[in-house]
Amino acid sequence: MFATRQISSIAKRAFSTSTSSNAAKVAVLGAAGGIGQPLSLLLKQSSLISHLSLYDIVNTPGVAADLSHINSNSKVSGHVPANDGLKEALTGCDIVVIPAGVPRKPGMTRDDLFNTNASIVRDLAVACAEHCPKAHILVIANPVNSTVPIVAEVFKKANVFDPKRLFGVTTLDVVRASRFVSEVKKVSTEDAKITVIGGHSGVTIVPLLSQSGHSFTEEEVKALTHRIQFGGDEVVKAKNGTGSATLSMAFAGARFTNSLLEATVAGKKNIVEPTFVQSDVFAKEGVEFFATNVELGPNGVEKIHPVGKVNAYEQGLIDAAVPELKGNIAKGKAFIKA
Ligand SMILES: NC(=O)C1=CN([C@@H]2O[C@H](COP(=O)(O)OP(=O)(O)OC[C@H]3O[C@@H](n4cnc5c(N)ncnc54)[C@H](O)[C@@H]3O)[C@@H](O)[C@H]2O)C=CC1
Ligand SMILES: O=C([O-])CC(=O)C(=O)O
């Protein structure tokens, strides 16, 4: 249901309504990339955005010129590093979405991207802390389990950290889970709402199929769990060295950004999305960031939902996720502290 409803309502807004009076400035950093371009296209259709600000180290003037001909009401600007481009892109931003960074090739883990992407995300976070310290920051760049703590540490160093405004985008995991379960159970995706908790890599992705209202055989649970945890690898393998998920990620990133806009700009209530945030849910186990369903409100995180009832199999998945997550988070924090 979400997909159809979202696309038709976005399309309607684009062609029949004007931009909301308190609409937001939204920046996409990495906007010329595989995710950045389709994500920017989807965001261009939102009437809750007044200014779509596109930043990349290359090619954003062209992407911005192209998108700017679409007759929705938002302004589009393109920025590259020259002439204070990053400062221009970020100043006045309400939301910053960060898909900047390299994607995986076959045989790599998301953690293998750390060496390249950690410094990209750090430098962009430093600029956000300086030019738009109150913006909501949505991190897509992998490894999300480490890049989110990196942004947090940068913001803490600059004394501007607000944990309610920092999100790791894990929406693709629930989008995949919904699709895969709908295929197995032969139901509409509307009837396949799956909670996915934890983080965004391999065993840290924990689907809670027992909460879905469907019954599964043991074999189905194992196969679905594996497919949801390693769905990213399916795409990396199929793209055969040319990248990872871009189009489904753009869809998922737009879904999360639109939900945040609905909560912050449109003041809608009961907007719930899964996301990797600073959380108390597993704080006792030493896990500072964790993805669960989160209610979004005018200031970002409104309420972090608990994990809820899990069965023994899912408890085993959580037990496997916790140490891995702890390590990923510590690695991100140590990168900035060092
Ligand atoms: N959170 C999630 O669920 C997902 C995350 N990803 C991650 O998203 C990231 C981007 O993936 P793609 O768009 O496929 O890669 P891509 O290589 O197609 O695009 C990345 C873009 O970032 C730009 N870039 C590099 N350094 C930059 C900097 N310092 N400032 C601004 N822009 C910079 C590049 O010029 C390029 O246009 C990867 O790290 C990938 O692993 C991908 C899919 C899902
Ligand atoms: O698999 C990757 O590297 C990209 C990603 O995070 C995903 O598709 O979930």
Side-chain angles (χ1 to χ4, degrees):
M1 174 178 72
F2 180 82
T4 332
R5 213 210 282 139
Q6 186 196 39
I7 285 169
S8 67
S9 73
I10 287 171
K12 226 180 282 156
R13 277 191 229 133
F15 297 113
S16 66
T17 61
S18 57
T19 305
S20 159
S21 58
N22 56 345
K25 177 175 177 184
V26 176
V28 178
L29 311 184
I35 296 167
Q37 291 203 39
L39 173 61
S40 301
L41 170 63
L42 292 171
L43 295 179
K44 178 68 178 101
Q45 300 175 62
S46 170
S47 62
L48 299 179
I49 296 176
S50 55
H51 181 172
L52 188 57
S53 170
L54 309 182
Y55 176 81
D56 201 302
I57 49 176
V58 287
N59 297 341
T60 38
V63 176
D66 189 355
L67 284 178
S68 73
H69 290 190
I70 293 174
N71 69 333
S72 55
N73 287 306
S74 53
K75 162 184 160 184
V76 184
S77 58
H79 310 268
V80 286
N83 303 321
D84 266 341
L86 186 51
K87 179 181 174 188
E88 287 245 319
L90 293 175
T91 302
C93 268
D94 301 291
I95 296 179
V96 179
V97 194
I98 310 184
V102 294
R104 285 198 284 166
K105 290 194 188 311
M108 291 172 84
T109 66
R110 290 182 183 79
D111 187 54
D112 291 334
L113 302 172
F114 187 94
N115 285 346
T116 310
N117 289 352
S119 52
I120 293 175
V121 172
R122 175 199 59 203
D123 295 349
L124 293 172
V126 167
C128 292
E130 186 180 353
H131 303 302
C132 54
K134 291 201 171 316
H136 300 271
I137 311 292
L138 280 49
V139 184
I140 291 174
N142 272 315
V144 167
N145 297 353
S146 303
T147 50
V148 169
I150 284 174
V151 176
E153 289 306 311
V154 167
F155 271 60
K156 280 181 206 165
K157 263 195 172 176
N159 289 319
V160 293
F161 181 51
D162 178 354
K164 291 184 186 317
R165 290 170 183 250
L166 173 60
F167 308 89
V169 181
T170 57
T171 325
L172 183 52
D173 300 318
V174 294
V175 166
R176 283 187 178 129
S178 167
R179 181 65 214 165
F180 299 163
V181 168
S182 81
E183 286 168 11
V184 169
K185 298 311 305 175
K186 300 192 176 21
V187 294
S188 147
T189 50
E190 199 176 319
D191 297 320
K193 293 209 174 72
I194 311 300
T195 299
V196 183
I197 62 166
H200 181 66
S201 74
V203 299
T204 72
I205 299 170
V206 178
L208 301 179
L209 297 171
S210 70
Q211 296 182 0
S212 69
H214 293 285
S215 53
F216 301 92
T217 64
E218 208 180 310
E219 247 172 39
E220 282 174 338
V221 168
K222 284 195 178 143
L224 276 167
T225 300
H226 185 271
R227 194 165 181 216
I228 295 163
Q229 290 187 320
F230 296 94
D233 297 54
E234 248 180 57
V235 183
V236 170
K237 197 170 167 212
K239 290 200 174 177
N240 196 20
T242 63
S244 56
T246 54
L247 304 173
S248 51
M249 181 59 235
F251 173 86
R255 164 173 152 176
F256 188 80
T257 311
N258 282 321
S259 289
L260 189 62
L261 286 163
E262 302 256 328
T264 55
V265 174
K268 282 209 180 156
K269 305 271 181 230
N270 301 319
I271 306 275
V272 175
E273 287 287 355
T275 171
F276 185 70
V277 291
Q278 183 172 303
S279 168
D280 284 341
V281 172
F282 282 92
K284 271 202 217 117
E285 288 77 0
V287 178
E288 211 175 313
F289 295 85
F290 198 84
T292 51
N293 282 327
V294 170
E295 188 180 324
L296 302 171
N299 296 307
V301 174
E302 185 80 23
K303 191 172 161 212
I304 295 177
H305 287 201
V307 168
K309 198 163 171 240
V310 300
N311 62 25
Y313 178 74
E314 291 160 351
Q315 187 56 52
L317 297 177
I318 293 172
D319 293 344
V322 161
E324 176 94 6
L325 263 176
K326 262 169 90 168
N328 295 159
I329 293 165
K331 188 170 174 181
K333 289 178 72 162
F335 179 72
I336 299 303
K337 289 201 164 138

